[in-house]
Amino acid sequence: PETSADDVTRIITADPAMVTRLIGAANGPLSRGIEPVTSIHMAVVRLGLQACKDLVISFSIRQLFKSRTPILKERMQQLYDKSIDVAAIGFALSRQSSKLNPDHVLLAGLIHEIGVIPILAHIETTGLIVNDTNELEYIISRLKSVVGAMVVRHWGLPNDLLIVVEDYADWKRDSGSQVDVCDMITLADIY
């Protein structure tokens, strides 16, 4: 809560690729101002701390989707493709409805199945042999919500993202009278 734009700027400056991406986002059509952003500090100020946090996580997530084992590599690619699709659809739906922050919904879509990544990484690093995709899917389906919730808590992400990870596949979930981020991700996942 006490973090300033200067603090965030100092941290992000350590990663030149992240600097470039955030400056690009700040100069993008959704955030563009009168003057173009030419420094990371200007980008952080223009985007705001929460949007910067969401974007940094979004940009960083792609680096997690890596594996060397063929069956796990294929599953990781499927997960990445699905996450991108759900994130993009959720972004578009939230932008169209004007009910939720589209960037936050984009992040929710990217991480809605984040628990799968540590499961696949654990299988790979322990040498557990999984040759059958049905067996792999069974393992994933039983553990992804619990492991995903652990990741979201460890990263200190907001509670609404925890709800997404735990409940996006529950079509009977009652969020009340207002659409929430989980509802948006459920719709995007169905679509």
Side-chain angles (χ1 to χ4, degrees), residues 173-188:
R173 178 182 162 273
D174 183 5
S175 62
S177 62
Q178 297 295 317
V179 172
D180 67 5
V181 175
C182 189
D183 293 333
M184 202 63 76
I185 296 306
T186 300
L187 288 172

Side-chain angles (χ1 to χ4, degrees), residues 2-12 40-41 44-45 48-49:
E2 302 84 31
T3 304
S4 70
D6 291 333
D7 296 332
V8 173
T9 299
R10 257 191 317 278
I11 293 168
I12 294 173
I40 189 59
H41 187 270
V44 170
V45 170
L49 295 179

Side-chain angles (χ1 to χ4, degrees), residues 78-98:
Q78 290 170 355
L79 174 64
Y80 179 73
D81 293 343
K82 181 183 178 196
S83 296
I84 294 296
D85 288 347
V86 169
I89 293 167
F91 179 88
L93 289 172
S94 63
R95 193 163 176 212
Q96 181 80 20
S97 72
S98 302

Side-chain angles (χ1 to χ4, degrees), residues 60-141:
S60 300
I61 283 178
R62 176 62 177 129
Q63 302 307 312
L64 301 174
F65 291 86
K66 294 185 178 175
S67 180
R68 293 181 304 275
T69 309
I71 192 171
L72 300 179
K73 186 175 187 175
E74 181 181 331
R75 184 56 174 89
M76 199 70 85
Q77 186 61 49
Q78 290 170 355
L79 174 64
Y80 179 73
D81 293 343
K82 181 183 178 196
S83 296
I84 294 296
D85 288 347
V86 169
I89 293 167
F91 179 88
L93 289 172
S94 63
R95 193 163 176 212
Q96 181 80 20
S97 72
S98 302
K99 300 273 183 202
L100 301 166
N101 178 335
D103 291 329
H104 191 65
V105 174
L106 178 87
L107 175 60
L110 289 173
I111 69 163
H112 79 286
E113 289 191 329
I114 196 71
V116 177
I117 296 171
I119 294 167
L120 297 177
H122 180 73
I123 290 170
E124 185 168 52
T125 59
T126 60
L128 181 65
I129 297 174
V130 180
N131 293 320
D132 180 12
T133 55
N134 291 330
E135 180 184 11
L136 179 61
E137 291 308 315
Y138 177 76
I139 292 167
I140 289 170
S141 70

Side-chain angles (χ1 to χ4, degrees), residues 8-24:
V8 173
T9 299
R10 257 191 317 278
I11 293 168
I12 294 173
T13 303
D15 185 346
M18 192 63 66
V19 168
T20 303
R21 288 179 156 182
L22 281 177
I23 290 174

